[in-house]
Amino acid sequence: MDNIKAYIEENKERFLEELFGLIRIPSISSIEANKPEMYKAAVYWKQLMLNAGADKAVVMETEGNPVTYGEKIIDPKLPTVMVYGHMDVMPVDPINLWDTDPFEPVIKDGKIWARGADDDKGQAFMHAKAFEYMVKNNCLPCNVKFMIEGEEEVGSPNLPKFCEEHKEMLQADVILVSDTGMIAPDIPSITTGLRGLMYWEVEVTGPNRDLHSGLFGGAVANPINVLAKMITQMVDDNGHITIPGFYDDVIEVTKEERAMMAEAPFDVEEYKKAIDVKELAGEKGYTPSEHTGIRPSFDVCGIWGGYIGEGAKTVLPSKAYAKISTRLVPNQNWEKISVLFKEHFEAIAPDCVKVVVTPLHGGQGYVCPIDFPAYIAADKAYTEVYGKRPVPVRSGGSIPIISSFEEILGIKSVLMGFGLESDAIHSPNENFPLEQFFNGINTIPLFYKYFAELKK
């Protein structure tokens, strides 16, 4: 694999143009009207796999958006790596905050700017090109399968059933994922833990119609005011979530592991400066990196109601809404948390309103042991490319399907991410540094090399 850098240099313009073709497809899974775009992305991935050297690639149906599956089996006796990624992306709102067209990628300041540049079109695409290199240079050391789904950004609701129905087809020794990040461009890291997730929509109804705020204000409860007050009761002044039973299954991380985590470089002042805030918040007794890595959190992701148009309208609204999520740590069961929140939120509602809590999606957390052969292979690969060993970190993010893979298929995953905090995933002006993109293509073949050696 000595000529990987030369191969990247010779083909980098083609790589980028092929990636841009994928990015230009507005495959937003949360918008039903975009479903045709999901099929365009699935077909695009099918062609990418075949062009890279897959023996077979097919677009497969689920009850929701399609999955593109591909494989190259060079010897059934050899280990098999299954690459997982997703073709869907987050919505682009608020569109006015983008500096460029989110679906027309541009290169500026050494970065690709577009929705999906990092999450996950750019990172998943690295695997297609690494695979292409290994096939064309006759250095693929094991079997490879690809599973690229179209619903990760909405919680992968149909992929568990897909896995159940295709267990034999999806058998592998490890699942390789690039949908996470690194500490910094010069500090590689491997994500060893993911938080779980539960997401709800809340509807609070007061009067049976919008009312005149002068004629009724002060006598009739305003559902927006009530909703805001209810939300403030969810977290106390110490940053502790107040839902009864919420922490029952939380396993406290040992002092030894917290000490290891503390060795990862983290500059609080730079962190605050990067997101332009004066002070941080969080649960008392824990550091910012622990807040996002080993502790649960509670957040309002959106809130609306009443009049939000131009100018003024003196109205006491009939309804108020919120999108609410909680990130969970391993061992917390998302289904249990879903019930606990619903029961508690409805119980604290005053009689002047009616409350409906609708669960939207959720998933378990995940932990990857650092003595796992695939982790060791990833460690060696990063070390060779970046010149230093990667730091094991627990991510605050969630990829709910990862725990489902282990539960349904019995396969562990290794999370080899190349994204950076500054990539602004899920936000306007998402980007992905070209250096990280090409380093990813350089690193992935080395993972295959070391994993195959370790499995002999």
Side-chain angles (χ1 to χ4, degrees):
M1 298 188 181
D2 297 336
N3 63 340
I4 177 67
K5 288 184 178 179
Y7 188 82
I8 292 171
E9 184 63 30
E10 291 167 8
N11 293 279
K12 64 181 182 181
E13 296 302 325
R14 175 175 63 85
F15 288 177
L16 289 171
E17 192 48 48
E18 290 177 8
L19 172 60
F20 290 0
L22 179 62
I23 288 174
R24 290 185 181 109
I25 302 170
S27 48
I28 303 172
S29 54
S30 62
I31 300 177
E32 185 62 29
N34 283 49
K35 189 149 190 169
E37 306 299 331
M38 301 308 307
Y39 280 90
K40 288 181 185 176
V43 171
Y44 198 98
W45 259 107
K46 173 185 174 181
Q47 201 57 51
L48 282 175
M49 293 176 192
L50 292 172
N51 290 347
D55 295 329
K56 117 182 195 185
V58 290
V59 175
M60 303 181 71
E61 296 290 342
T62 74
E63 292 181 6
N65 292 330
V67 169
T68 303
Y69 172 81
E71 65 179 31
K72 187 171 188 68
I73 308 299
I74 59 175
D75 185 344
K77 296 178 183 177
L78 289 175
T80 299
V81 174
M82 181 159 65
V83 175
Y84 164 79
H86 62 93
M87 66 187 85
D88 63 320
V89 297
M90 276 285 180
V92 296
D93 300 323
I95 190 68
N96 61 298
L97 295 183
W98 285 81
D99 295 331
T100 59
D101 183 335
F103 293 111
E104 186 50 55
V106 298
I107 296 176
K108 182 178 64 174
D109 301 327
K111 301 177 180 181
I112 305 165
W113 299 81
R115 174 59 88 227
D118 171 337
D119 183 22
D120 181 43
K121 290 180 177 179
Q123 291 213 63
F125 185 87
M126 297 183 307
H127 288 271
K129 295 299 108 178
F131 172 68
E132 174 191 301
Y133 160 76
M134 290 185 288
V135 172
K136 293 190 183 302
N137 287 271
N138 198 32
C139 60
L140 183 65
C142 55
N143 307 309
V144 181
K145 297 178 179 179
F146 285 87
M147 178 170 56
I148 310 297
E149 73 150 317
E151 295 182 320
E152 192 275 341
E153 298 292 14
V154 292
S156 306
N158 295 294
L159 200 59
K161 184 178 179 182
F162 179 86
C163 291
E164 289 276 9
E165 293 173 345
H166 301 285
K167 280 185 178 181
E168 186 173 346
M169 180 184 78
L170 299 174
Q171 280 308 299
D173 293 274
V174 66
I175 297 173
L176 180 59
V177 184
S178 292
D179 195 18
T180 52
M182 288 173 33
I183 293 173
D186 60 342
I187 306 175
S189 55
I190 300 174
T191 300
T192 57
L194 294 167
R195 290 197 288 185
L197 170 72
M198 187 58 219
Y199 200 109
W200 307 265
E201 182 173 309
V202 171
E203 178 188 81
V204 178
T205 304
N208 60 6
R209 64 186 187 278
D210 287 358
L211 303 176
H212 189 292
S213 67
L215 299 178
F216 293 90
V220 178
N222 184 317
I224 298 178
N225 296 355
V226 174
L227 174 59
K229 186 175 180 180
M230 292 172 67
I231 287 170
T232 62
Q233 296 177 53
M234 292 296 101
V235 181
D236 67 20
D237 291 341
N238 291 321
H240 198 265
I241 298 164
T242 59
I243 301 167
F246 186 86
Y247 290 93
D248 285 357
D249 300 319
V250 173
I251 298 175
E252 296 290 336
V253 175
T254 65
K255 289 181 180 179
E256 290 76 16
E257 187 171 353
R258 289 179 72 180
M260 287 177 62
M261 291 178 60
E263 294 177 6
F266 185 83
D267 188 317
V268 173
E269 293 307 314
E270 283 298 317
Y271 187 79
K272 291 190 290 186
K273 182 179 178 182
I275 57 177
D276 195 21
V277 296
K278 284 186 177 181
E279 291 297 336
L280 301 178
E283 188 179 358
K284 188 175 180 180
Y286 297 90
T287 67
S289 57
E290 290 175 336
H291 289 149
T292 60
I294 62 172
R295 300 301 291 170
S297 63
F298 181 93
D299 287 288
V300 178
C301 300
I303 185 166
W304 69 100
Y307 181 69
I308 56 173
E310 185 177 351
K313 182 182 180 184
T314 52
V315 62
L316 192 159
S318 170
K319 293 180 180 291
Y321 302 87
K323 304 273 191 181
I324 295 173
S325 77
T326 182
R327 300 286 175 162
L328 310 171
V329 294
N331 207 51
Q332 281 186 295
N333 182 280
W334 65 273
E335 292 172 314
K336 177 180 176 180
I337 296 299
S338 179
V339 173
L340 290 177
F341 170 75
K342 178 179 172 67
E343 290 178 347
H344 179 61
F345 205 72
E346 292 175 348
I348 66 171
D351 291 340
C352 54
V353 297
K354 296 183 286 291
V355 172
V356 176
V357 176
T358 304
L360 296 183
H361 66 83
Q364 291 299 111
Y366 175 76
V367 175
C368 174
I370 60 176
D371 59 355
F372 181 44
Y375 179 92
I376 296 169
D379 184 301
K380 289 175 175 287
Y382 277 111
T383 302
E384 187 163 330
V385 172
Y386 286 88
K388 60 181 72 173
R389 291 192 68 186
V391 179
V393 298
R394 291 205 186 190
S395 169
S398 304
I399 310 177
I401 195 62
I402 298 297
S403 59
S404 297
F405 289 152
E406 185 171 15
E407 180 183 340
I408 298 167
L409 301 174
I411 308 172
K412 280 279 190 184
S413 300
V414 64
L415 304 165
M416 289 185 66
F418 295 86
L420 301 175
E421 186 277 328
S422 58
D423 292 354
I425 62 172
H426 293 199
S427 302
N429 301 311
E430 180 179 347
N431 64 89
F432 194 28
L434 290 170
E435 182 181 23
Q436 291 298 103
F437 174 68
F438 292 124
N439 275 347
I441 300 172
N442 189 10
T443 306
I444 292 164
L446 293 169
F447 167 83
Y448 283 86
K449 171 188 172 183
Y450 292 122
F451 184 67
E453 290 176 359
L454 287 164
K455 293 292 286 184
K456 280 184 180 177

